[in-house]
């Protein structure tokens, strides 16, 4: 047998093996196109954010009542939003020397354009996750930036 003929038989054999397995097992094909989204934090609380991550990505910190840009890379998101898209957020807050922790799975709010992912933290352990091409302090961001209450002072 010539080398070209051997390669043809090898291809036929590999094709037969791959097709034979298809009938008995469902084949998963990744149809979603994903991208890496930087992570930003927008803190609407009086607690200092020591660390915040979404789906394992992130880790940055944020002052009380403050908003930042996308500082840490990268959470994976589909380029096209779909209903039921969720994210798990883990936050470590620091008030003085006392740490508290929050873990929550929330919906990723609808987005039309891929961008960075922002964790919005609100009083009462409320969390919203949005995707935006605008930083958390921008007027173009989908949620208004935090405002410090009149007379507020940091707890040490």
């Amino acid at each position: 047998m010539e080398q070209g003929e051997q390669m043809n038989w090898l291809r036929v054999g590999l094709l037969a093996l791959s097709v034979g397995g298809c009938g008995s097992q469902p084949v998963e094909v990744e149809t979603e196109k994903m991208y890496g989204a930087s992570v930003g934090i927008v803190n609407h609380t009086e607690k200092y954010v020591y660390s915040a991550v979404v789906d394992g990505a992130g880790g940055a910190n944020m002052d009380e009542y403050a908003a930042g840009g996308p500082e840490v890379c990268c959470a994976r998101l589909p380029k096209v939003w779909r209903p039921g898209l969720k994210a798990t957020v883990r936050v470590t807050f620091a008030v003085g020397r006392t740490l508290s922790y929050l873990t929550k799975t929330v919906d990723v709010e609808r987005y039309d354009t891929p961008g960075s992912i922002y964790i919005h933290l609100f009083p009462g352990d409320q969390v919203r996750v949005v995707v935006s091409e605008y930083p958390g302090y921008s007027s173009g961001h989908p949620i208004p930036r935090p405002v410090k209450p009149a007379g507020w002072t940091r707890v040490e």
Side-chain angles (χ1 to χ4, degrees), residues 27 35 63 95 104 124 127:
V27 177
Y35 73 100
D63 281 334
V95 177
K104 202 166 201 178
V127 177

Side-chain angles (χ1 to χ4, degrees), residues 25-40:
Q25 300 272 346
V27 177
E28 284 190 36
V29 178
E30 186 176 323
T31 57
E32 281 188 312
K33 292 189 179 189
M34 305 292 279
Y35 73 100
S38 293
V39 178

Side-chain angles (χ1 to χ4, degrees), residues 43-48 64-65 94-95 123 149 152-155:
N43 185 4
H44 302 263
T45 77
E46 64 184 21
K47 299 176 188 176
Y48 175 78
E64 305 89 337
Y65 300 106
V95 177
W152 179 83
T153 58
R154 174 178 279 164
V155 176

Side-chain angles (χ1 to χ4, degrees), residues 37-43 45 47-63 66 69-75 88-94 100-104 117-121 127-129:
S38 293
V39 178
I41 302 167
V42 184
N43 185 4
T45 77
K47 299 176 188 176
Y48 175 78
V49 175
Y50 183 75
S51 173
V53 298
V54 61
D55 291 338
N61 59 351
M62 185 57 60
D63 281 334
E71 301 296 329
V72 183
C73 193
C74 287
T88 300
V89 175
R90 288 184 176 83
V91 183
T92 303
F93 292 104
S100 61
Y101 306 92
L102 171 67
T103 300
K104 202 166 201 178
I117 190 165
Y118 290 88
I119 304 166
H120 281 263
L121 304 166
V127 177
R128 290 174 65 184
V129 173

Side-chain angles (χ1 to χ4, degrees), residues 104-127:
K104 202 166 201 178
T105 300
V106 298
D107 291 321
V108 175
E109 296 183 17
R110 182 182 179 86
Y111 56 92
D112 296 321
T113 305
S116 297
I117 190 165
Y118 290 88
I119 304 166
H120 281 263
L121 304 166
F122 295 93
D125 293 337
Q126 297 300 308
V127 177

